């Protein structure tokens, strides 16, 4: 089961996808992030689909980011074994953390704006964990109870800003640098630690891996973070990217206006974003 937000002439609507068929969620009203994290709520929605209480709809054409208000974005760096290998880096002993501005979030098919003050704009396909309940000092075994769902994030990065500043925030936080969506997949619908991830640039595969390559899996990550800081509903954790990013290719292959980048994760869907000039 997947939850979606989409735009219509009458405003923003919510829907649910079950067995590849979208249904309108209007009769349930606009769900809160806490609703989405509640197994009882998800069972009610699933039951409503089973008995025909929710109307089937056509596939939406204007998907929106599945979370209307992102609290914060916490990113995990160097979290795939193959990404560490391509950088010739040692395997970290604990998650490497940095932040990305929530205002960088954009919709699944919205353009990525290439800023005119940077040159090295890169792509990173990542699994996003959306926290739905306040999580403080949670164990790895309990972690899924606090998850509203999983989504796809392209952690777009201005490498020259990142390297110049010697920290990540500016290079990661330009507006439109976090395409997100197209859906929020319920926690029970996939194994987030064993799904395929892929990124294509102008139709050519650049990143291809699986979350089985995680150094710190979803449970480990939530446990570690929730012992560092209280995770509020609406927090998004971007879990790192596999090998194949543009800056470490020889020669580098970076994003330019006119490019199309597709980030796909098994069981969630695909972001498709065109790169445009500022």
């Amino acid at each position: 089961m997947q939850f979606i937000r989409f735009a219509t002439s009458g405003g923003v609507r919510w829907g649910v996808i079950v067995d590849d068929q979208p249904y309108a969620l209007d009769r349930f009203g606009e769900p809160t992030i806490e609703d989405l994290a509640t197994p009882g709520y998800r069972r009610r929605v699933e039951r409503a689909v089973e008995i025909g209480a929710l109307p089937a709809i056509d596939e939406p054409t204007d998907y929106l980011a599945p979370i209307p208000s992102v609290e914060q974005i916490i990113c995990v760096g160097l979290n795939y074994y193959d990404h560490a290998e391509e950088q010739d880096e040692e395997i970290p002993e604990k998650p490497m953390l940095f932040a990305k501005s929530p205002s960088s979030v954009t919709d699944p098919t919205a353009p990525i704006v290439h800023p005119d003050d940077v040159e090295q704009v890169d792509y990173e396909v990542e699994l996003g964990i959306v926290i739905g309940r306040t999580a403080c000092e949670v164990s790895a075994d309990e972690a899924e109870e606090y998850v509203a769902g999983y989504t796809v994030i392209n952690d777009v990065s201005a490498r020259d800003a990142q390297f110049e500043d010697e920290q990540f925030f500016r290079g990661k936080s330009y507006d439109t640098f976090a395409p997100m969506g197209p859906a929020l997949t319920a926690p029970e619908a996939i194994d987030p630690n064993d799904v395929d991830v892929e990124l294509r640039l102008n139709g050519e595969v650049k990143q291809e891996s699986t979350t089985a390559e995680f150094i710190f899996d979803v449970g480990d990550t939530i446990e570690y973070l929730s012992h560092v800081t209280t995770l509020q509903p609406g927090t998004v954790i971007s879990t790192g990217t596999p090998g194949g990013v543009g800056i470490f290719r020889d020669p580098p292959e970076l994003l330019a206006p006119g490019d199309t980048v597709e980030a796909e994760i098994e069981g969630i869907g695909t972001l498709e974003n065109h790169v445009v000039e500022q």
Side-chain angles (χ1 to χ4, degrees), residues 1-2 80 126-129 140 143-144 147 149-151 184-197 209-214 216-220 222 239 265-268:
M1 181 167 63
Q2 298 178 292
Y80 280 72
E126 306 204 5
L127 175 75
I129 308 166
E144 188 176 287
V147 174
Y150 302 100
T151 193
L184 186 72
T185 296
E188 62 273 12
I190 60 171
D191 177 356
N193 299 312
D194 190 16
V195 291
D196 293 335
V197 299
S209 191
T210 168
T211 57
E213 283 280 312
F214 276 159
F216 304 100
D217 69 16
V218 168
D220 295 334
I222 292 175
T239 55
I265 297 182
E266 177 187 9
I268 302 175

Side-chain angles (χ1 to χ4, degrees), residues 9-275:
S9 58
V12 176
R13 296 176 67 188
W14 281 81
V16 62
I17 299 176
V18 177
D19 296 332
D20 297 323
Q21 173 62 57
Y23 299 87
L25 204 56
D26 300 346
R27 67 167 290 180
F28 280 84
E30 181 176 340
T32 65
I33 195 70
E34 291 88 350
D35 288 335
L36 301 179
T38 303
Y41 176 86
R42 298 196 299 267
R43 284 195 294 269
R44 283 177 57 217
V45 171
E46 191 169 35
R47 178 59 177 159
V49 171
E50 290 173 353
I51 65 175
L54 297 183
I57 57 175
D58 293 334
E59 182 76 21
T61 58
D62 199 359
Y63 281 92
L64 303 174
I67 306 303
S69 181
V70 174
E71 174 75 16
Q72 62 179 332
I73 305 175
I74 302 172
C75 302
V76 184
L78 210 65
N79 196 33
Y80 280 72
Y81 287 102
D82 54 6
H83 189 40
E85 181 179 352
E86 76 175 352
Q87 297 184 63
D88 197 26
E89 294 277 2
E90 293 185 4
I91 301 303
E93 296 182 0
K94 57 186 178 182
M96 299 171 57
L97 305 178
F98 59 92
K100 193 173 177 87
S101 173
S103 63
S104 64
V105 172
T106 194
D107 297 321
T109 59
I112 296 168
V113 178
H114 192 300
D116 57 16
D117 64 333
V118 294
E119 297 181 358
Q120 297 176 332
V121 178
D122 207 346
Y123 52 79
E124 296 187 8
V125 59
E126 306 204 5
L127 175 75
I129 308 166
V130 179
I131 298 297
R133 296 172 51 207
T134 301
C136 181
E137 298 185 358
V138 171
S139 72
D141 291 341
E142 300 173 306
E144 188 176 287
E145 300 173 20
Y146 295 83
V147 174
Y150 302 100
T151 193
V152 185
I153 298 171
N154 186 349
D155 177 20
V156 181
S157 308
R159 300 298 189 186
D160 37 359
Q162 177 182 331
F163 299 150
E164 178 184 338
D165 295 353
E166 298 184 348
Q167 57 89 20
F168 289 19
F169 187 77
R170 176 168 70 102
K172 298 284 188 174
S173 293
Y174 285 91
D175 289 349
T176 75
F177 271 25
M180 185 180 298
L184 186 72
T185 296
E188 62 273 12
I190 60 171
D191 177 356
N193 299 312
D194 190 16
V195 291
D196 293 335
V197 299
E198 183 173 289
L199 185 136
R200 298 176 293 276
L201 179 58
N202 299 325
E204 184 177 344
V205 174
K206 299 298 182 182
Q207 293 182 280
E208 187 175 20
S209 191
T210 168
T211 57
E213 283 280 312
F214 276 159
I215 297 170
F216 304 100
D217 69 16
V218 168
D220 295 334
T221 299
I222 292 175
E223 178 179 72
Y224 182 80
L225 279 170
S226 69
H227 281 75
V228 171
T229 185
T230 298
L231 303 175
Q232 301 291 346
T235 295
V236 176
I237 303 169
S238 200
T239 55
T241 201
V245 297
I247 195 65
F248 295 118
R249 290 180 170 271
D250 187 16
E253 299 180 25
L254 297 159
L255 299 179
D259 286 343
T260 298
V261 58
E262 299 168 274
E264 181 175 6
I265 297 182
E266 177 187 9
I268 302 175
T270 304
L271 308 173
E272 183 175 340
N273 305 96
H274 303 291
V275 183

